[in-house]
Amino acid sequence: MITTGRILLGLALLACWEWGHRVAGNLFVASPMEVVQRLREIVEDGSLWGHAASTLWITALGFAIGFFFGVLLPFLLDQSERATKAIEPAVLASMGIPKFALAPLLILWFGIGDAPKVVIIAFMTFYMIFISTFSGLRGVDHKLIVMAKIVGADPMKLARDVLWRSLQPYMFAGLKVALPRALSAAIVGEFLVADKGLGYMIEHARQMGDTTGVFTGIVVVTALVLGLNWLLERLQAKVMAWRPKDASVAH
Amino acid sequence: MHKARTVLDRVLVVAGVIALWQMASLSAGAYWVPAPWPVLKTLWAMAQSGALARHASYTFQAAAWGFLIGGLPGAVLPFILRRMPRLSAILDPYLVGGYGIPKLALAPLFILWFGIGIESKIAVVASVVFFLVFFNTTAGVRAIDPKLVQMARLVGASELLIARRVIWPSAVPFIFAGLRVSTPYAIGGAVIAELISSNRGLGYLVQLGAMNFKTVEVFAAILAITLIVIGANALVNGIERRLLRWRPANALNKDAASGGM
Amino acid sequence: MNAAAPLLEIDGLGKRFPSRDGRSMSPWVIQNLSFSVKDGEFVTIIGPSGAGKSTLLNMLAQTDAPSEGEIRFRGKPVREAGARLSPGLDCQIGYVFQDDTLLPWRTTIDNVLFPLEAQGRLDDASRARAETLMKAVGLNGFERYYPHELSGGMRKRAALIRTLVYDPPIILMDEPFGALDAQTRVQLQEDLLRLWEAGRKTILFITHDIAEAIALGDRTLVLSRAPTHIIGDHSIDIPRPRNLRDIYAVPQFAGLYETIRAQVQ
């Protein structure tokens, strides 16, 4: 019953799309059939892979940099209560910096290559991972640490078997938010400055008045992000089989 | 004693950041990295000439309208769906998918539909805010203790009364969480849409400075946006604290979701 | 080493904490507390709530430093003045906490093996020992379960044998059975006594239940209210093995119960 409803709703949405196309015209709403056709074309001529690879590359690079510092800083801060108290408000305030608004500046600094986008993605990733690692470290059950020390765990064992495992749910919560956002940051970055990538593909099509191109690009991007979400969900379920089903870290 | 030391530490951190900035400006050259003082002067000049207010009010309008248009249905819909479990089960994957869609990536589409005026910015903001508020409110509606509802029903309360007296108060903190999380996104979304294509607004101000190669204006505009976002966050947090004084809060967790823009 | 010396001596122990603003000290939580424990002795400790029982065990376990006084293990002070704490005293002191403190991401058997793993003593013999212990408390068949899939009593058993598995000479237990229902509680007490009688470890067992203190111990110490010190030291001359389910019917029980209750207030 519910599944049928879902399928029907999906079909209805498709029908709406087609109807919108007929009412609003080709300039505003591309025809679903043409989008499929275009999708086939860019898959066949290989241009989709080129754009996607470029987007995924800057996403991965920016994400890796942001992730590294986002994990490192909380661990460093964990060593000193005083340092944490001193810089916490500054870090929180710096979150107010509009990351994308840095783009024009970064372009002035680094030119129109990948660097500005990578910096923006790294910046965004950093905050999200920082927050989840930070609250994760605070959330470690102190009694488990005491227990591990008593039974003879050395600092390495403690870090690996208690701290890291305690952090995992927070890490995943952070990852699930950060990774798709890093991808969409890459795409928005490509709206602003690029000569390749999925974002460029969409924005270029818009500037050319190629509505079918815009729609096709958005379909691809949406599918990519949703696919990524799904993958992360699966991975999390696998890695954290030890958790009771209903417990989850809100993000 | 401890408090005074913390305050001093924090002042030192701010001083350190400003000193670093100044040093960066000295070593890279004022053209690439304008020093703090000229940036502040430029910001002040922008404020005095009314340019800042003009552009900021444009951005604010886009953010506020988008906030309303997206936030209102986002806050109301979960209450309606609560009564229709089957419909909400059918809608669920689509809403989750909608939440996952990178709304900012839809900006070109909105520009295509609504032009480069304020409407496309409103659309971007509304699409972002709707899902944030919707899912937070849904979490609130789901967190209601079913025993409380059952109890109310047993003592003969009408559905309307249950909604008003049991469900609404329990959901309010969650609605607020959604609104609070959305605030920086609303402003950020409007700014990004303006960056992509606009001839007004704070995002445009940044773009304009960059196009004229006036880094000091770029810095001033970014600083202005940062201050506005911080101010808006503080405002919403203040309102929430006042209204929900009884709830314990954790500063860092609260801002967790606002790191994204 | 002096063979006649008690295994553990607590001499003039005192503890107070820094107040919240960090400038002054709180009143004494524990003051002038002394007792000693012989090798193989089962000592139960009872006291009113807020008597600093957990604080006492934390100091014995070397997770917290005393403000004054000395703790000696086998005649030697456990810590030079000003030296760092060594939690668990190099695995000589085991600690069964009030909560089970199982690592939620490890299966039951991996939790039990965790101390051996941490101490680098994991081999076939120790694995076999772990399995024997699992069987002894009826956890066989649940090796691959995660803690959240076990009942409260099973988690307690797992926590108990996690400490027994590496065989520390002294085991501290902080109200380990406090949160269990009466039936499970008696079963666990029986399990504990059976394992103890087989190995004769030294146990310091904190409880707020007078009947439990009498039923389990060779000796029961009674703590005062803060500042905590010892106000009663009772030898429990009920012969072993004891039948815990009929412990109330033992002739000595009622007298001991009354005396101790009068002291605990």
Side-chain angles (χ1 to χ4, degrees):
Chain A
M1 167 67 199
I2 283 167
T3 318
T4 329
R6 285 176 180 171
I7 294 167
L8 284 177
L9 181 60
L11 292 175
L13 287 174
L14 271 178
C16 269
W17 182 358
E18 177 66 31
W19 177 77
H21 163 66
R22 294 205 179 147
V23 171
N26 220 356
L27 192 62
F28 286 102
V29 182
S31 136
M33 291 318 279
E34 274 177 39
V35 168
V36 173
Q37 180 60 30
R38 175 69 65 86
L39 206 54
R40 190 180 296 154
E41 278 167 35
I42 56 177
V43 167
E44 275 165 8
D45 71 12
S47 60
L48 178 64
W49 309 129
H51 288 306
S54 163
T55 302
L56 290 176
W57 163 243
I58 59 166
T59 305
L61 193 60
F63 185 82
I65 296 169
F67 186 86
F68 176 76
F69 288 105
V71 172
L72 185 69
L73 189 60
F75 268 94
L76 292 180
L77 286 181
D78 198 38
Q79 310 297 315
S80 159
E81 177 75 14
R82 187 174 166 187
T84 307
K85 271 194 179 153
I87 78 165
E88 192 184 300
V91 173
L92 287 178
S94 72
M95 274 200 235
I97 297 174
K99 276 66 142 191
F100 286 110
L102 296 176
L105 190 66
L106 295 169
I107 294 164
L108 282 179
W109 285 349
F110 302 116
I112 59 163
D114 286 344
K117 285 164 278 179
V118 172
V119 171
I120 291 174
I121 298 164
F123 217 149
M124 290 188 45
T125 307
F126 166 77
Y127 280 108
M128 289 181 270
I129 299 297
F130 172 83
I131 296 285
S132 44
T133 312
F134 191 86
S135 41
L137 278 177
R138 294 222 159 154
V140 177
D141 186 350
H142 183 69
K143 275 177 263 158
L144 293 185
I145 297 177
V146 173
M147 179 281 292
K149 281 183 183 163
I150 284 179
V151 304
D154 60 16
M156 244 338 263
K157 182 87 182 153
L158 188 70
R160 257 198 14 231
D161 274 72
V162 181
L163 295 181
W164 174 243
R165 296 304 297 263
S166 301
L167 272 180
Q168 262 182 10
Y170 295 87
M171 285 301 205
F172 263 105
L175 214 61
K176 264 162 70 180
V177 180
L179 201 51
R181 279 205 200 150
L183 185 56
S184 62
I187 290 156
V188 175
E190 287 164 353
F191 289 164
L192 298 172
V193 51
D195 52 9
K196 54 188 186 309
L198 296 172
Y200 166 78
M201 193 175 97
I202 296 170
E203 180 63 9
H204 182 71
R206 181 186 73 83
Q207 285 170 0
M208 296 284 115
D210 171 13
T211 308
T212 308
V214 175
F215 270 76
T216 310
I218 286 175
V219 167
V220 170
V221 165
T222 304
L224 203 58
V225 173
L226 293 183
L228 193 60
N229 281 339
W230 179 80
L231 260 175
L232 284 169
E233 205 80 51
R234 290 290 304 273
L235 187 66
Q236 183 179 28
K238 227 182 154 121
V239 174
M240 300 202 302
W242 55 268
R243 302 190 87 205
K245 287 281 174 291
D246 55 346
S248 69
V249 178
H251 52 260
Chain B
M1 179 82 184
H2 272 219
K3 229 174 177 177
R5 198 183 70 181
T6 305
V7 170
L8 185 67
D9 284 348
R10 287 177 180 175
V11 171
L12 284 176
V13 168
V14 173
V17 169
I18 293 173
L20 273 177
W21 180 359
Q22 180 75 46
M23 262 156 61
S25 170
L26 285 175
S27 61
Y31 171 71
W32 298 106
V33 183
W37 184 239
V39 169
L40 278 180
K41 272 205 300 206
T42 309
L43 187 60
W44 181 243
M46 279 178 179
Q48 285 216 309
S49 73
L52 186 63
R54 203 168 59 242
H55 288 292
S57 76
Y58 184 79
T59 304
F60 258 134
Q61 270 177 45
W65 279 110
F67 201 86
L68 258 168
I69 294 173
L72 219 55
V76 171
L77 204 55
F79 288 92
I80 299 171
L81 286 179
R82 188 184 73 86
R83 305 292 306 278
M84 308 179 212
R86 200 167 281 163
L87 179 62
S88 77
I90 290 171
L91 284 176
D92 189 57
Y94 294 95
L95 288 165
V96 171
Y99 181 68
I101 291 175
K103 261 74 67 184
L104 296 175
L106 300 181
L109 193 63
F110 291 137
I111 294 170
L112 194 76
W113 284 345
F114 303 113
I116 63 163
I118 197 165
E119 293 85 355
S120 57
K121 280 93 206 171
I122 293 174
V124 171
V125 174
S127 67
V128 173
V129 170
F130 169 76
F131 287 101
L132 285 173
V133 175
F134 176 83
F135 278 100
N136 268 291
T137 310
T138 301
V141 171
R142 289 207 180 131
I144 297 160
D145 190 348
K147 278 189 213 127
L148 275 180
V149 179
Q150 214 173 8
M151 179 275 289
R153 226 170 250 147
L154 280 175
V155 300
S158 68
E159 285 301 318
L160 189 69
L161 194 75
I162 291 174
R164 265 184 40 205
R165 287 289 145 85
V166 181
I167 294 161
W168 173 250
S170 340
V172 163
F174 290 86
I175 298 176
F176 249 100
L179 294 177
R180 189 193 51 224
V181 169
S182 309
T183 305
Y185 283 93
I187 299 172
V191 169
I192 292 165
E194 288 162 2
L195 281 168
I196 296 172
S197 164
S198 183
N199 49 21
R200 282 164 82 184
L202 293 168
Y204 169 72
L205 207 55
V206 177
Q207 222 29 313
L208 183 71
M211 277 191 289
N212 296 333
F213 297 101
K214 288 193 172 149
T215 34
V216 67
E217 284 178 14
V218 177
F219 264 78
I222 290 175
L223 187 63
I225 300 171
T226 308
L227 293 177
I228 288 171
V229 171
I230 293 173
N233 276 341
L235 188 73
V236 189
N237 280 338
I239 294 173
E240 189 189 30
R241 247 199 301 277
R242 198 160 262 271
L243 287 179
L244 303 173
R245 217 170 290 182
W246 49 276
R247 292 189 88 218
N250 176 323
L252 254 180
N253 284 343
K254 275 172 62 163
D255 290 303
S258 52
M261 278 293 183
Chain C
M1 198 202 329
N2 183 356
L7 188 67
L8 193 67
E9 290 166 278
I10 286 91
D11 191 1
L13 206 63
K15 179 70 184 176
R16 56 180 179 173
F17 296 95
S19 68
R20 197 161 291 171
D21 61 12
R23 271 181 292 187
S24 55
M25 297 296 280
S26 73
W28 291 96
V29 180
I30 292 173
Q31 199 173 26
N32 206 10
L33 187 148
S34 306
F35 66 94
S36 59
V37 181
K38 282 190 300 228
D39 198 1
E41 204 173 17
F42 197 133
V43 178
T44 51
I45 300 174
I46 193 156
S49 58
K53 291 176 289 200
S54 295
T55 308
L56 171 62
L57 281 201
N58 288 343
M59 287 190 287
L60 297 183
Q62 300 292 298
T63 59
D64 202 353
S67 309
E68 61 176 35
E70 195 175 64
I71 301 167
R72 285 187 293 275
F73 177 70
R74 298 210 160 112
K76 273 189 293 197
V78 293
R79 195 169 69 107
E80 302 295 322
R84 281 170 65 104
L85 290 167
S86 94
L89 200 62
D90 287 329
C91 311
Q92 305 268 28
I93 296 179
Y95 198 155
V96 180
F97 296 85
Q98 214 162 353
D99 315 303
D100 50 59
T101 62
L102 295 175
L103 299 173
W105 43 84
R106 282 179 167 246
T107 56
T108 314
I109 183 73
D110 285 341
N111 261 298
V112 170
L113 293 176
F114 180 71
L116 299 168
E117 219 180 288
Q119 295 162 22
R121 288 166 49 193
L122 197 56
D123 53 24
D124 286 346
S126 57
R127 258 179 225 281
R129 179 173 158 74
E131 268 161 42
T132 315
L133 282 167
M134 295 274 284
K135 204 169 281 176
V137 295
L139 276 175
N140 47 327
F142 293 95
E143 290 87 347
R144 301 268 147 245
Y145 283 59
Y146 287 107
H148 79 264
E149 298 168 313
L150 301 179
S151 69
M154 287 160 108
R155 284 203 293 270
K156 276 276 133 72
R157 289 185 170 93
L160 180 62
I161 58 174
R162 177 181 60 190
T163 299
L164 294 176
V165 78
Y166 69 97
D167 216 17
I170 300 179
I171 298 174
L172 311 176
M173 307 183 95
D174 187 5
E175 297 192 32
F177 307 145
L180 300 172
D181 63 87
Q183 182 62 27
T184 315
R185 196 170 172 164
V186 175
Q187 280 169 6
L188 267 153
Q189 289 167 347
E190 284 172 343
D191 284 345
L192 174 63
L193 277 194
R194 204 175 57 245
L195 291 166
W196 175 74
E197 271 156 22
R200 291 277 169 174
K201 300 281 111 192
T202 307
I203 292 182
L204 259 76
F205 187 105
I206 280 185
T207 176
H208 60 261
D209 176 350
I210 298 174
E212 185 175 57
I214 298 170
L216 297 178
D218 293 323
R219 214 172 121 207
T220 295
L221 301 177
V222 183
L223 301 181
S224 68
R225 291 188 182 279
T228 300
H229 54 276
I230 306 242
I231 49 173
D233 188 341
H234 308 273
S235 183
I236 311 293
D237 48 1
I238 301 174
R240 295 185 191 269
R242 296 176 185 169
N243 181 353
L244 293 181
R245 286 165 204 267
D246 285 327
I247 197 77
Y248 303 95
V250 174
Q252 300 95 318
F253 183 86
L256 279 166
Y257 192 94
E258 275 314 311
T259 327
I260 293 172
R261 206 193 54 174
Q263 273 177 335
V264 177
Q265 295 143 14

